[in-house]
Amino acid sequence: MTQSTLILLVRHGETPTTGTVLPGRAPGLHLSERGRAQADTVSQRLSGLPVQAIYSSPLERARETAAPSAARAGLTVREEPGLLECDFGDWTGAALAGLTGLPEWQTVQHNPSAFRFPNGEGFSGMQARMVGTLESLRASHPGAVVVCFSHADPIKAAMAHALGTHLDLFQRIMISPASVSAISYTDGQAPAVLTVNSTSESLSGLRAP
């Protein structure tokens, strides 16, 4: 019997603008000192899992979060554009305090499936991209443990899909900096969500030795 494929989704660690700015895909944003410590903690939590491959969004903050885990596992971080942050278009770099007062913000929060960022990506397209990427990685690593370093909204959208939850409700899912969420894929079955937004304990128990 073929073993299930286990995909772990890790949000990047904290940056100097976490929680205050919508950085999107703008380059040059690096982990803060706390974020680097969080990245080290993630690598320790993954210890004991037979990780076969590590993939990361091309953005610096994701790659920097992935680096300690790759070093500990003796693997190379593979960049995967499908794990990129949502393209926020004209909203890229905007302060969240200024966005929350816009009428469009209510759509972002309560009807995201109908929203597309001005000159950017829509949540539905982001979800389709993320789900397709995970399916591709699953097919490339059957029965393996794969770790993907990405961003809050793409991970939330992927988890909503795995849970069978409508995209309009995906904002109810919390994905904290450096948190780990896990999905198990078995051929012929619906995805099984093993954990969401895990931030502390060892993850070795997700796959029996």
Side-chain angles (χ1 to χ4, degrees), residues 50-55 75-76 78 141 144-148:
V51 178
Q52 185 184 83
I54 293 180
Y55 290 87
L75 297 170
T76 300
R78 309 187 202 183
H141 302 281
V145 178
V146 179
V147 185
C148 299

Side-chain angles (χ1 to χ4, degrees), residues 146-172:
V146 179
V147 185
C148 299
F149 290 80
S150 186
H151 308 267
D153 281 347
I155 294 175
K156 286 160 61 175
M159 298 310 296
H161 181 270
L163 289 164
T165 300
H166 196 282
L167 183 59
D168 281 343
L169 303 178
F170 96 123
Q171 300 284 22
R172 300 184 184 187

Side-chain angles (χ1 to χ4, degrees), residues 26 32 45 59 64 68 74 93 102-103 106-107 122 127 139 161 170-171 182 192 201 205:
S32 63
R45 297 180 64 214
L59 292 173
E64 290 169 5
L102 297 177
Q106 294 305 311
T107 305
Q127 184 181 52
H161 181 270
F170 96 123
Q171 300 284 22
E201 70 280 358

Side-chain angles (χ1 to χ4, degrees), residues 21 28 84-85 91 94 100 107 109 112 139 141-143 151 158 190:
V21 171
L84 264 170
E85 174 65 287
W91 288 20
T100 54
T107 305
Q109 295 302 309
H141 302 281
H151 308 267

Side-chain angles (χ1 to χ4, degrees), residues 9 15 26 42 44 46 79 113 146 190 208:
L9 299 172
T15 74
V42 169
Q44 296 167 22
L46 292 172
E79 287 192 11
S113 65
V146 179

Side-chain angles (χ1 to χ4, degrees), residues 8-34:
L8 286 76
L9 299 172
V10 185
R11 182 183 173 187
H12 64 80
E14 288 185 15
T15 74
T17 65
T18 296
T20 60
V21 171
L22 208 60
R25 297 181 178 180
L29 180 60
H30 298 274
L31 294 181
S32 63
E33 183 177 349
R34 176 174 168 80

